[in-house]
Amino acid sequence: MFTGIVEEVGHVRTITPNEGGVRIELEAALVVEDATIGASIAVNGCCLTVVELTENGFAADAVVETLARTNLGALTPGDPVNLERPMRLADRLGGHLVQGHVDATGTVTSRTPQPDGSERVRFDAPPEVMRYVVHKGSVTVDGVSLTVAEVHDDGFTIAVIPHTLTVTTLGPHDRPPGAPVNLEVDLIAKYVERLLVPDRSPS
């Protein structure tokens, strides 16, 4: 479980095809300080397992299913990625509860700079995501916990503060219009929907 508060931006060092997917080697410093083989690290909001610790980073395997359902399949060497370690029970929950299970990918459709240095960023999202998106609710974009500023029929808009633009990959250089992003909806919304669905199990 994660919080959607990015700890650092790492970079892709190599991508090596293997049986069933690829091995991604990443440059990182902070998230590997206490990492062990088998540990989980969110990469652009996608929970991956550390399979190797390197001198200044780590490697993780991404299977075909992960590559098809996330933007990890579009990564190339040198690309920046958002990184976060799993939360600890004693940690403050600065964002919201994030599983690291990407629901779908969306697309940056527009960016509008604001006088205060923030940006209003609009994203397209598929219907299976939009059913859970509400005004002032939480959504995870490339592993970043964000608050929905506007809801549209085919997507949503986020007001991204200058700090987030600087310390994550959501800045205009890394995520220009047309860029794919990983989306994860609020876990609580899924449970609420499930509870409201009539129980059709045999009595």
Side-chain angles (χ1 to χ4, degrees):
M1 194 70 75
F2 304 89
T3 69
I5 304 299
V6 172
E7 294 187 87
E8 70 173 314
V9 173
H11 289 83
V12 177
R13 180 180 297 152
T14 61
I15 298 178
T16 306
N18 58 27
E19 186 175 354
V22 299
R23 176 160 294 189
I24 305 172
E25 187 176 335
L26 297 150
E27 293 180 0
L30 181 61
V31 297
V32 294
E33 286 181 350
D34 57 355
T36 58
I37 302 298
S40 296
I41 295 178
V43 179
N44 280 352
C46 180
C47 180
L48 297 180
T49 301
V50 175
V51 297
E52 180 183 354
L53 290 169
T54 61
E55 184 177 350
N56 53 0
F58 69 99
D61 290 334
V63 297
V64 172
E65 177 77 3
T66 300
L67 299 175
R69 291 185 173 272
T70 73
N71 64 8
L72 300 189
L75 291 175
T76 59
D79 282 349
V81 290
N82 295 323
L83 301 174
E84 182 191 356
R85 288 170 290 185
M87 65 181 294
R88 293 170 293 195
L89 290 179
D91 286 345
R92 292 183 177 89
L93 184 58
H96 69 283
L97 294 175
V98 176
Q99 289 185 293
H101 301 162
V102 175
D103 291 301
T105 56
T107 305
V108 178
T109 58
S110 66
R111 308 186 66 105
T112 307
Q114 304 298 302
D116 62 358
S118 67
E119 288 194 26
R120 292 182 71 84
V121 185
R122 179 165 175 165
F123 302 90
D124 276 351
E128 62 266 28
V129 166
M130 290 308 302
R131 66 189 297 171
Y132 301 108
V133 177
V134 298
H135 183 238
K136 300 300 183 184
S138 296
V139 64
T140 308
V141 179
D142 272 354
V144 183
S145 173
L146 298 166
T147 301
V148 177
E150 292 181 58
V151 178
H152 316 290
D153 290 340
D154 59 352
F156 57 91
T157 295
I158 300 291
V160 187
I161 64 174
H163 176 74
T164 302
L165 293 172
T166 301
V167 301
T168 74
T169 63
L170 294 185
H173 175 73
D174 295 321
R175 293 294 181 269
V181 292
N182 293 329
L183 303 174
E184 181 184 334
V185 300
D186 191 350
L187 174 64
I188 295 175
K190 293 180 182 179
Y191 280 118
V192 170
E193 179 186 58
R194 179 63 176 168
L195 289 170
L196 293 175
V197 174
D199 185 0
R200 294 188 175 88
S201 59
S203 56

